[in-house]
Amino acid sequence: MIPKLFQIGPISFYSFGMMMGIAFIVGGMLLSKELGRKKLSADIGSTITLIALFGGLLGAKLFDLLENPDEFKSGIFHALFSPAGLTYYGGLIVAILLIYVYVKSKKLSFLRIADAAAPALIIAYGIGRIGCQLAGDGDYGIPTKLPWGMTYAKGTAKPTVELLEYFQRNPGEDSVYHYSEYRMIRVGQDEFGPITKFDESVHLHPAPLYELLYSILIFLFLWSKRKVWDSDVGKLFGVYLILQGLTRFLIEFIRLNPLYYSLSLSQWIGLAAIIVGGVLILRKKNVSADNSIHIQLLTKENCSLCDEMKLVLNAQREQLGFDYEVIKIHERDKWWDAYWDKVPVLMANGKLFAKYKITEEELRTRIGSLRNQSSAENVFVVPE
């Protein structure tokens, strides 16, 4: 049986907004934590979270209206501002585009930040699905005889209305679940519309809870691999796209969405996500086949030139396929005597690479020279 925590009740409509807020808070905290671990400014995590919130809600609503234009029949205001019917992939696509523009304006690596965001994205998605479950907003699935099936009579989107097209496409199911008969028997009314015997008695797949479960599993997997794959920039995000795309593709077979050439819009986008994720993983394999370079940036307290050096490195590392660790030197370490008066200093594979200052053009030239010198011996070490 489904725990009462997830049952639809009178306050379910308001719980939706609360769970969406929790999702963004948790996602933002995880993102900031990962950005800090990757030696990136955790401050940009809050900005990215706000962009994701705005872009996510905007894209989710726009894609839902694209998929369900009939919502305009209730009026433009209702269609635009109703909290029901938010399409996840629409929100993800618009949010990613806006974040990409922001990240590039800061001359940062988009894929590196996408890797940091991948675990946060999937767990925030799962938490958001709890809100969908509590609201009963139409994200539930088709009828089922399984013991954990649920009714959504008090939801914001009534099953009688939402399943009309399903029974039109599957007339044989009508006699099994008595849709034509039960939909004519009105048993109540709430602020979201009439409640029929079908709404009250026929059990449906609790699809949002399925999505919560797989979100937790994917999160645990990605979280366990985030350090292991640090050197393969883009791999964690690529795997996220593949796993999210695959699971969403499969779960859509029990969901209630319009079909385009036998698949829903979310399934087509899920397939595209799988392809993009595969390209990212293959791309990183090609990059790692190059001679790898381990770069260390030696800094010390109150060093403005060090901040300028970081900006140059951040602007070029994705394109040049390298990463670096920041080492703040002090009097008791091995770097102090040789380099305290020369910081910022760049070390490449244990040897002096640059000091004081370097331009983006000089960085490209010197890294190209290092790789041309050939070295299967070079070892790329990613900082913890």
Side-chain angles (χ1 to χ4, degrees), residues 38-300:
K38 290 174 175 287
K39 313 300 181 187
L40 294 168
S41 172
D43 294 339
I44 66 173
S46 57
T47 302
I48 289 175
T49 301
L50 288 175
I51 293 173
L53 174 60
F54 171 76
L57 293 177
L58 175 64
K61 175 52 69 175
L62 290 178
F63 271 65
D64 176 67
L65 294 176
L66 177 65
E67 195 171 23
N68 302 288
D70 288 346
E71 291 187 28
F72 283 106
K73 292 180 179 179
S74 300
I76 294 178
F77 183 85
H78 173 83
L80 293 176
F81 295 101
S82 169
L86 298 177
T87 301
Y88 167 72
Y89 275 128
L92 180 65
I93 292 171
V94 172
I96 285 177
L97 290 175
L98 293 178
I99 291 170
Y100 180 85
V101 172
Y102 168 74
V103 167
K104 286 305 180 182
S105 73
K106 295 293 184 180
K107 300 188 182 302
L108 298 173
S109 166
F110 172 76
L111 286 180
R112 186 168 172 80
I113 289 176
D115 282 343
L121 282 171
I122 193 63
I123 199 62
Y125 175 81
I127 295 172
R129 280 314 190 204
I130 298 176
C132 295
Q133 170 68 16
L134 294 175
D137 61 358
D139 284 337
Y140 43 74
I142 60 178
T144 179
K145 298 289 188 180
L146 293 171
W148 55 80
M150 294 183 62
T151 59
Y152 293 83
K154 296 180 181 179
T156 60
K158 305 305 182 190
T160 295
V161 177
E162 298 297 313
L163 272 82
L164 174 61
E165 185 178 345
Y166 170 76
F167 283 104
Q168 289 175 343
R169 293 199 307 257
N170 302 277
E173 295 288 286
D174 194 315
S175 59
V176 177
Y177 295 101
H178 311 287
Y179 176 75
S180 296
E181 176 187 354
Y182 288 175
R183 71 189 294 263
M184 304 304 296
I185 303 174
R186 183 167 171 170
V187 297
Q189 171 87 29
D190 64 15
E191 59 184 304
F192 305 112
I195 300 173
T196 69
K197 185 176 180 180
F198 180 84
D199 297 327
E200 196 174 65
S201 61
V202 176
H203 290 72
L204 312 175
H205 280 287
L209 298 187
Y210 298 164
E211 293 178 280
L212 170 62
L213 177 60
Y214 81 63
S215 295
I216 293 173
L217 294 177
I218 295 174
F219 168 77
L220 293 174
F221 176 73
L222 294 178
W223 194 253
S224 70
K225 296 295 184 181
R226 71 193 196 284
K227 295 181 180 179
V228 179
W229 293 340
D230 248 344
S231 60
D232 288 327
V233 179
K235 182 174 182 178
L236 198 73
F237 186 60
V239 172
Y240 156 77
L241 289 176
I242 290 173
L243 294 178
Q244 168 67 357
L246 177 61
T247 49
R248 186 58 189 268
F249 178 85
L250 294 175
I251 208 165
E252 281 291 305
F253 286 112
I254 62 165
R255 289 279 302 275
L256 307 167
N257 287 316
L259 301 181
Y260 306 91
Y261 300 102
S262 301
L263 296 177
S264 71
L265 180 59
S266 290
Q267 285 179 310
W268 286 114
I269 297 176
L271 288 175
I274 293 171
I275 294 171
V276 172
V279 169
L280 286 177
I281 293 174
L282 293 175
R283 169 187 175 276
K284 295 322 296 174
K285 287 182 178 179
N286 291 335
V287 169
S288 59
D290 294 334
N291 295 327
S292 298
I293 300 173
H294 174 208
I295 291 181
Q296 297 165 311
L297 171 60
L298 308 186
T299 73
K300 62 181 180 182

Side-chain angles (χ1 to χ4, degrees), residues 2 14-15 30 32 36 61 73 120 125 143 201 232 264 274 284 315 325 342 355 364:
I2 300 295
Y14 307 101
S15 300
L30 288 174
S32 294
K61 175 52 69 175
K73 292 180 179 179
Y125 175 81
S201 61
D232 288 327
S264 71
I274 293 171
K284 295 322 296 174
E325 61 176 319
K342 299 179 178 64
K355 57 185 179 181
R364 288 193 297 270

